C-alpha cells in the first residue's frame, strides 16, 4: 500500500509491520546486548527496548499509549507473574488515548508472562526494567521516563531503530533495500505487527475486533498464539 492522499497533498503511509521472526530477533539481539553490557545505563536501554518492543507487541498499544503507562500500577501487578493459573502482569495506562478521551481515566492490559506458541517472554523484560527503576529509588511517574516530563515517543526512537537496523544489517529477515526510518515507525509498527500476526494465525475476526477497534478490557489477556 503506497499511502492515502489527504487534502493539501499530504501522503499518509501505512507503517511497515515487522513479522514475528523479526520480533524474535529483536528479543535475541537485546538479550545479547543486555548480557554484554558493562554499565547500568546500557542495560537500562536494553530493558526499555525489550519492554517497549516485546511487551508492546503483545499489548496492542501504539507509541502514544506506551508513554502513558504508569510505573506504580504496573510494578504492583508484577505479583501476578507467579499466578498459578495464568502468570501475567498488567500495563496500567492513565491519560487520554484515542479510544478513551476521559481525563484521568485508567485501564489495565493483562499480558502473559510467556506467550503461547511464539514463546515470547514479556515478563522477563518488565521485571528487569522495574528492578532497575526501583534501584534508582523512583516509584512514581511513567514507566518510560528519560529527560522530558511528560515523556515523548521520539526520546526512544533512535534506540528503536538501532535494534531493527542491526537486524537488517546482520540477517536476511529485513530486506536491505527497506528504508526503516521511512517505512517503519515507533508509533504504529508494533501494533500493525500484532494485527498481521493474528491474521496470519487465522484468529477469528471477532477476536480481532478489540485490536482494530481500540477497545480495552481488564478481562482480556493478550496470549499470542
Amino acid at each position: 500500500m503506497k499511502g492515502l492522499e489527504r487534502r493539501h497533498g499530504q501522503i499518509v503511509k501505512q507503517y511497515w509491520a515487522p513479522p514475528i521472526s523479526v520480533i524474535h530477533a529483536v528479543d535475541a539481539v537485546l538479550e545479547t546486548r543486555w548480557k554484554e553490557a558493562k554499565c547500568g545505563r546500557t542495560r537500562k536501554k536494553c530493558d526499555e527496548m525489550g519492554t517497549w518492543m516485546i511487551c508492546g507487541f503483545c499489548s496492542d498499544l501504539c507509541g502514544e499509549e506506551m508513554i502513558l503507562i504508569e510505573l506504580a500500577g504496573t510494578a504492583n501487578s508484577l505479583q501476578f507473574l507467579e499466578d498459578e493459573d495464568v502468570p501475567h502482569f498488567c500495563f496500567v495506562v492513565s491519560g487520554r488515548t484515542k479510544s478513551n478521551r476521559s481525563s484521568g481515566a485508567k485501564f489495565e492490559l493483562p499480558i502473559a508472562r510467556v506467550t503461547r506458541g511464539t514463546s515470547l517472554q514479556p515478563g522477563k523484560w518488565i521485571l528487569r526494567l522495574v528492578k532497575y527503576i526501583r534501584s534508582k529509588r523512583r516509584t512514581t511517574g511513567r514507566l518510560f521516563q528519560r529527560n522530558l516530563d511528560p515523556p515523548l515517543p521520539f526520546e526512544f526512537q533512535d534506540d528503536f531503530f538501532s535494534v531493527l537496523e542491526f537486524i537488517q544489517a546482520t540477517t536476511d529477515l529485513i530486506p536491505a533495500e527497506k528504508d526503516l526510518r521511512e517505512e517503519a515507525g515507533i508509533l504504529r509498527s508494533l501494533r500493525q505487527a500484532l494485527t498481521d500476526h493474528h491474521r496470519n494465525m487465522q484468529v477469528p475476526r471477532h477476536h480481532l475486533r478489540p485490536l482494530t477497534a481500540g477497545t480495552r478490557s481488564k478481562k482480556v489477556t493478550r496470549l499470542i498464539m
Side-chain angles (χ1 to χ4, degrees), residues 23-24 27 46-59 66 74 78 81 87-91 109-116 118-130 143-144 221-224:
I23 301 298
H24 276 291
D27 183 73
C46 293
D47 295 339
E48 287 176 334
M49 283 301 101
T51 303
W52 190 295
M53 300 182 80
I54 304 303
C55 301
F57 170 79
C58 296
S59 70
M66 292 294 288
T74 301
L78 298 187
L81 287 172
H88 69 282
F89 66 95
C90 294
F91 272 164
L109 274 178
I111 303 170
R113 179 171 186 156
V114 179
T115 62
R116 294 182 297 180
T118 54
S119 299
L120 293 172
Q121 301 181 57
K124 171 185 70 176
W125 290 109
I126 188 65
L127 272 172
R128 287 175 174 176
L129 180 56
V130 170
L143 179 66
F144 295 99
T221 303
R222 303 296 185 182
L223 297 176
I224 310 305

Side-chain angles (χ1 to χ4, degrees), residues 31-192:
E31 181 67 20
T32 299
R33 290 182 179 181
W34 190 89
K35 290 179 177 178
E36 295 177 350
K38 300 185 184 301
C39 66
R41 182 183 178 88
T42 301
R43 280 194 169 180
K44 182 201 175 190
K45 287 191 173 186
C46 293
D47 295 339
E48 287 176 334
M49 283 301 101
T51 303
W52 190 295
M53 300 182 80
I54 304 303
C55 301
F57 170 79
C58 296
S59 70
D60 186 41
L61 292 176
C62 64
E64 299 97 323
E65 293 170 331
M66 292 294 288
I67 60 171
L68 297 178
I69 298 171
E70 281 189 354
L71 170 59
T74 301
N76 290 338
S77 76
L78 298 187
Q79 61 183 306
F80 301 118
L81 287 172
E82 304 303 324
D83 186 87
E84 293 184 1
D85 296 326
V86 183
H88 69 282
F89 66 95
C90 294
F91 272 164
V92 179
V93 182
S94 66
R96 297 187 178 189
T97 65
K98 183 177 180 180
S99 58
N100 194 335
R101 308 304 297 174
S102 300
S103 179
K106 295 185 181 182
F107 61 84
E108 295 180 352
L109 274 178
I111 303 170
R113 179 171 186 156
V114 179
T115 62
R116 294 182 297 180
T118 54
S119 299
L120 293 172
Q121 301 181 57
K124 171 185 70 176
W125 290 109
I126 188 65
L127 272 172
R128 287 175 174 176
L129 180 56
V130 170
K131 181 179 180 180
Y132 179 88
I133 294 173
R134 283 176 167 172
S135 74
K136 299 302 179 181
R137 303 292 190 268
R138 185 164 74 85
T139 58
T140 61
R142 302 297 186 185
L143 179 66
F144 295 99
Q145 189 85 54
R146 285 189 177 177
N147 299 316
L148 300 180
D149 187 14
L152 293 174
F154 80 83
E155 294 183 85
F156 305 89
Q157 190 163 265
D158 283 343
D159 292 325
F160 176 86
F161 283 118
S162 168
V163 178
L164 293 178
E165 288 168 346
F166 179 82
I167 292 170
Q168 184 182 43
T170 58
T171 73
D172 59 0
L173 297 175
I174 303 176
E177 63 273 11
K178 183 173 292 294
D179 186 341
L180 289 171
R181 293 188 181 247
E182 179 67 24
E183 299 182 43
I186 196 170
L187 298 181
R188 296 288 184 279
S189 280
L190 294 175
R191 191 174 196 179
Q192 184 63 44

